[in-house]
Amino acid sequence: MMGLFITFEGVEGSGKTTQMQLLRQHLEARGCTVVLTREPGGTPIAETIRDVLLDPAHGAMAPAAELLLYEAARAQHVAELIRPALEQGKIVLCDRFADSTTAYQGTARGLDYEALDRLHRIATNGVWPHLTFVLDMAPEEGLDRARERGRFDRMEQESLEFHERVRQGFLRIAKMEPDRVTIVNAARSIEDVARHIQLRLDEYLQARSTGAAP
Ligand code: Z5A
């Protein structure tokens, strides 16, 4: 697969969408073809699953049902959009991916990591991010930013303790996979965060050009 797959992770409101748009501009200015997408979602079927997952009326959703719906949306997204784009040599920037399932449904909800890993393998079928940026900040600050938009989805209604466990879940993944996952302090200005991301990407692309990175 010739393309480049970059994912953005972090607590709600940490600036993933903002940073993806800035990185797209940066890459397009260099002549790259960039696809921006998100999870859950990214294709019509996966967006329909997203509506079910995030509907605040669905407070009674069982954790296992939630997990399987996120993975179902991912399977469709990978098959229909991400894999074809990578095979065409494009750069795919994705707002959340399997690490979100590990952090939200694994670390925060307490579902079994081994079961999650098996489901990730089925849903992603070998498609895995080359680079991941975890935009790290205190969840209460991120939630404040997100709430300024005035909409509250089902996951946002979880307790602050839940979102703190999510944060710890992302930090755990970064510790386990330091080559792939970069922690970015997201409590800084938009420009500072963008600079950190661009520097890490340039470093990765340099390593890739010499065969030192996948
Ligand atoms: N979820 C899950 O449980 N399991 C899974 O497997 C997956 C997802 C894939 C998706 O929600 C929910 O699904 C999510 C995890 C769960 N729930 N939670 N909680 P979503 O897609 O609707 O929301 P989100 O992914 O959490 O992102 P967001 O709310 O859209 O936020 P963001 O993209 O990270 O931030 P933003 O939109 O770029 O910025 C938010 C605001 O802050 C905006 O007004 C910006 O202008 C401002 N901003 C951005 N950066 C800065 C800085 N540096 N300083 C000041 N202000 C800033």
Side-chain angles (χ1 to χ4, degrees):
M1 211 172 295
M2 296 299 292
L4 179 60
F5 185 26
I6 304 176
T7 57
F8 289 75
E9 300 280 6
V11 294
E12 181 98 11
S14 53
K16 300 180 304 302
T17 312
T18 306
Q19 293 300 327
M20 283 173 58
Q21 281 162 355
L22 289 173
L23 192 61
R24 169 165 59 184
Q25 286 167 20
H26 175 73
L27 289 166
E28 285 181 346
R30 295 167 156 204
C32 302
T33 306
V34 179
V35 175
L36 239 68
T37 188
R38 69 172 180 181
E39 289 213 344
T43 73
I45 293 171
E47 289 288 334
T48 302
I49 299 173
R50 177 189 177 90
D51 291 342
V52 174
L53 276 163
L54 299 185
D55 188 338
H58 293 168
M61 190 179 293
E66 178 184 273
L67 166 66
L68 293 169
L69 285 171
Y70 277 116
E71 295 287 6
R74 177 162 308 124
Q76 187 65 32
H77 189 207
V78 168
E80 193 179 338
L81 189 145
I82 300 177
R83 181 187 294 282
L86 294 173
E87 284 174 353
Q88 290 162 20
K90 294 176 182 167
I91 299 180
V92 177
L93 306 183
C94 189
D95 189 340
R96 300 194 179 280
F97 195 63
D99 295 325
S100 275
T101 313
T102 305
Y104 280 85
Q105 282 66 51
T107 312
R109 287 246 192 271
L111 297 181
D112 177 59
Y113 287 129
E114 278 180 27
L116 260 59
D117 285 344
R118 280 201 297 281
L119 289 171
H120 289 346
R121 279 199 291 280
I122 294 170
T124 63
N125 195 16
V127 172
W128 202 247
H130 297 97
L131 264 188
T132 296
F133 293 102
V134 169
L135 302 194
D136 179 57
M137 66 188 302
E140 55 269 40
E141 290 171 35
L143 286 165
D144 279 350
R145 281 186 190 170
R147 281 174 182 152
E148 275 172 28
R149 290 177 311 207
R151 54 180 175 79
F152 305 91
D153 66 40
R154 189 179 59 88
M155 302 297 290
E156 277 169 293
Q157 293 174 348
E158 292 289 344
S159 66
L160 198 52
E161 291 71 30
F162 176 89
H163 291 284
E164 184 51 48
R165 288 199 295 279
V166 169
R167 181 188 195 184
Q168 296 309 320
F170 285 123
L171 296 177
R172 170 185 167 274
I173 296 167
K175 209 170 180 181
M176 288 169 64
E177 292 188 67
D179 290 343
R180 172 175 70 87
V181 183
T182 300
I183 298 171
V184 179
N185 174 1
R188 296 172 295 168
S189 72
I190 290 175
E191 295 72 25
D192 283 354
V193 176
R195 211 168 298 120
H196 186 165
I197 290 171
Q198 286 169 18
L199 282 173
R200 172 64 187 119
L201 177 59
D202 288 347
E203 186 186 275
Y204 172 83
L205 292 174
Q206 175 66 27
R208 204 188 206 201
S209 71
T210 63

